[in-house]
Amino acid sequence: MNTPDMTPGESGFSIERGPDARERILAAAESLFAVRGFEGVSTTQIAKVAGITQPLIHYHFKNKEALWKATISRLFSKLSQEFSAEVKMLPNKDDRRYLVEMMRCYVSFVARYPQYGQFIMREGVQESARLQWMVDEWLKPMLSQFHDIYDKGIAEGWMKDIPFPQLIILITASASQFFSMAPLVKALYGVDATCPEQILAHSDAVVEVAVNAILREPIAQQSEAATA
Amino acid sequence: MNTPDMTPGESGFSIERGPDARERILAAAESLFAVRGFEGVSTTQIAKVAGITQPLIHYHFKNKEALWKATISRLFSKLSQEFSAEVKMLPNKDDRRYLVEMMRCYVSFVARYPQYGQFIMREGVQESARLQWMVDEWLKPMLSQFHDIYDKGIAEGWMKDIPFPQLIILITASASQFFSMAPLVKALYGVDATCPEQILAHSDAVVEVAVNAILREPIAQQSEAATA
DNA sequence: GTCTATAATTAGATAGAC
DNA sequence: GTCTATCTAATTATAGAC
């Protein structure tokens, strides 16, 4: 799915073999680190998937941990950018509408990039320098905007007073697990979580349950007029 | 946390060192496999935590995979037994009450054994013989009883028609993630997911959200009389 | 920028003493 | 039942040729 088949320089006398080895290493690292964790993957395995030799990884990245951080940054920045793009598109009037649309944005992302939820699952279960870095560098900044809306919703009374940690875990876990654990879903129910029907079914389920969970009264689903 | 400093037999001339090495190996394997996965843990690390030597693992277990399976069976059978005990205690009248109590039973278990959710997260993300074994041997049998109630609820009309895979993932993910990813929760919010207040807060949140998500109308919360 | 060769360490598993 | 000693293969990382 990430085959970089655009030939890069093509200028003839350069020694470049294959389109950007650094990018292929990152793509291979992303898929492998996501499903087997930092300790569960060898740089030799990454090199094999990337189609290069193992020592080349150490030319492009200082060590295994630097490769891991670069992999996280490459993936998490995509979500961050999609959030930013979504915020710009929103009318900025109704906070409840804002919350729902950001949730849709999130579900859409974790459906397309199940690796995201996998990385969080892999690193979230034990204290480590890697977890601390991931939280400080990426998760806290992305969550801060939601905390602001949450506080507003509590103050204004339209948000149910479920605590913020519980709320976030409920939404993010429900949304991402279905896609991140597609093999489990397949083995348990014979259902392919990656097919369009299932993506739609799960997105709808998550948004409906989450909206019921956080809002005291439902919002007008698609009408643009309701602002009060 | 696993220091076996209680002297066992102490009876002088026996060769027993420490109380049941096999059990200590299983306990060490459980905590390590849960947070770092099968490939992420070495038998040497397990031996060190268990306070025995690495080759002794191969006396008690055929190989690393056999140790992993024994670890899973030891943990998952606890949940299975708690379900059975709960079923025996229930009045067997109201199916909705049954569902809610089984959910409480599940949340209570994952709060006390966060390793359970961790194992499922670790193995659920990639197809493997281990995942297939886990699903066939443990998950499918435990889920079958809920599938029966679900079908009944759909047929009788008191269950919202959310698909079964979505429903199960929503409930189990919401319930277990908070406890399984306690280090993430701590790093993100400064909240200790293992303290009694948080366990109660999360259990309440999960049950309330889940009940809203699956039942068309709420049930009488604690009254024993309502049977419809 | 990518390779081959290799160093130093650690992996899972076996043999055999006690 | 538990140990020490050890085998083979795989691990991360470096050196140096091209």
Side-chain angles (χ1 to χ4, degrees):
Chain A
M1 42 180 72
N2 225 326
T3 29
D5 46 3
M6 64 293 199
T7 32
E10 200 73 19
S11 38
F13 61 100
S14 171
I15 337 173
E16 309 156 7
R17 313 185 195 173
D20 201 9
R22 187 191 153 94
E23 179 57 27
R24 290 215 314 283
I25 292 171
L26 283 169
E30 183 174 299
S31 60
L32 288 171
F33 278 145
V35 296
R36 304 183 45 160
F38 182 82
E39 297 95 347
V41 177
S42 72
T43 54
T44 310
Q45 293 169 335
I46 294 171
K48 184 179 273 184
V49 171
I52 48 94
T53 55
Q54 183 266 339
L56 187 59
I57 290 177
H58 291 278
Y59 170 79
H60 288 287
F61 304 94
K62 187 180 158 234
N63 53 28
K64 194 182 173 185
E65 183 171 318
L67 168 60
W68 182 88
K69 284 188 181 178
T71 306
I72 293 281
S73 293
R74 176 167 165 279
L75 176 63
F76 283 34
S77 66
K78 282 179 189 157
L79 174 59
S80 186
Q81 281 168 21
E82 293 197 12
F83 274 151
S84 299
E86 185 69 23
V87 166
K88 275 180 199 141
M89 273 183 45
L90 285 172
N92 198 15
K93 294 242 180 155
D94 187 344
D95 285 323
R96 285 173 288 183
R97 170 69 51 78
Y98 175 90
L99 261 187
V100 172
E101 290 308 320
M102 292 308 269
M103 255 166 31
R104 278 192 211 283
C105 186
Y106 180 77
V107 180
S108 164
F109 184 85
V110 294
R112 281 173 290 135
Y113 299 95
Q115 311 94 297
Y116 177 79
Q118 289 164 355
F119 272 110
I120 293 185
M121 291 192 321
R122 291 251 162 271
E123 299 299 326
V125 297
Q126 67 177 339
E127 284 180 36
S128 71
R130 288 198 308 275
L131 172 62
Q132 200 61 51
W133 175 87
M134 193 175 89
V135 166
D136 292 338
E137 198 78 15
W138 291 105
L139 299 187
K140 276 186 176 173
M142 285 196 286
L143 264 181
S144 66
Q145 54 191 317
F146 296 105
H147 214 141
D148 295 343
I149 304 280
Y150 171 84
D151 288 340
K152 212 172 157 195
I154 293 290
E156 294 176 0
W158 49 265
M159 173 91 73
K160 288 185 185 174
D161 60 350
I162 175 174
F164 191 68
Q166 264 76 29
L167 176 67
I168 296 298
I169 284 277
L170 247 83
I171 294 176
T172 56
S174 305
S176 64
Q177 291 270 71
F178 184 74
F179 305 112
S180 296
M181 307 210 299
L184 175 69
V185 171
K186 177 78 178 172
L188 257 181
Y189 313 108
V191 161
D192 176 15
T194 65
C195 76
E197 293 88 348
Q198 288 298 320
I199 292 176
L200 191 64
H202 193 69
S203 304
D204 287 348
V206 166
V207 172
E208 207 213 289
V209 169
V211 165
N212 264 321
I214 62 181
L215 299 184
R216 288 202 190 276
E217 49 193 284
I219 57 174
Q221 258 317 90
Q222 290 296 351
S223 75
E224 294 286 58
T227 320
Chain B
M1 45 179 71
N2 225 326
T3 31
D5 46 2
M6 62 290 204
T7 32
E10 200 75 17
S11 39
F13 61 100
S14 172
I15 337 173
E16 309 158 7
R17 312 184 196 178
D20 200 10
R22 187 191 153 93
E23 180 57 27
R24 291 215 313 283
I25 292 172
L26 283 169
E30 182 175 299
S31 60
L32 288 171
F33 278 145
V35 297
R36 304 182 47 159
F38 183 82
E39 297 94 346
V41 178
S42 72
T43 53
T44 310
Q45 293 168 336
I46 294 171
K48 185 179 274 185
V49 171
I52 48 93
T53 56
Q54 184 265 340
L56 187 59
I57 290 178
H58 291 279
Y59 171 79
H60 287 286
F61 305 93
K62 186 178 157 238
N63 54 26
K64 193 182 174 185
E65 183 170 318
L67 168 59
W68 182 88
K69 284 189 180 177
T71 306
I72 293 280
S73 293
R74 178 166 163 278
L75 176 62
F76 283 34
S77 65
K78 283 180 190 157
L79 174 58
S80 186
Q81 281 167 22
E82 293 198 11
F83 274 151
S84 300
E86 185 69 24
V87 166
K88 275 181 199 141
M89 273 183 46
L90 285 172
N92 197 15
K93 296 242 181 155
D94 187 345
D95 286 324
R96 285 174 288 183
R97 169 70 50 77
Y98 175 89
L99 261 187
V100 172
E101 291 308 318
M102 292 308 268
M103 255 167 29
R104 278 192 211 283
C105 186
Y106 181 77
V107 179
S108 164
F109 184 85
V110 294
R112 281 172 291 135
Y113 299 95
Q115 311 94 295
Y116 177 79
Q118 289 163 356
F119 271 109
I120 292 184
M121 292 192 319
R122 289 254 162 294
E123 298 300 326
V125 298
Q126 66 179 341
E127 283 180 35
S128 72
R130 288 198 308 276
L131 172 61
Q132 200 61 53
W133 176 87
M134 193 175 89
V135 165
D136 292 337
E137 197 78 15
W138 291 105
L139 298 187
K140 275 185 177 173
M142 286 196 285
L143 265 181
S144 66
Q145 54 191 318
F146 295 106
H147 213 141
D148 296 342
I149 305 281
Y150 171 84
D151 287 340
K152 211 171 157 195
I154 294 291
E156 294 176 0
W158 49 265
M159 173 93 73
K160 289 186 185 174
D161 60 348
I162 174 173
F164 192 69
Q166 264 76 29
L167 176 65
I168 296 298
I169 283 276
L170 248 82
I171 295 175
T172 56
S174 304
S176 64
Q177 290 269 69
F178 184 74
F179 305 112
S180 295
M181 307 211 299
L184 175 69
V185 171
K186 177 77 177 173
L188 258 180
Y189 312 108
V191 161
D192 177 15
T194 64
C195 75
E197 293 89 348
Q198 288 297 322
I199 292 177
L200 190 64
H202 193 70
S203 304
D204 287 348
V206 166
V207 172
E208 208 213 290
V209 169
V211 165
N212 266 319
I214 61 181
L215 299 184
R216 288 203 191 274
E217 51 194 280
I219 56 173
Q221 259 317 91
Q222 290 296 353
S223 75
E224 296 284 57
T227 321

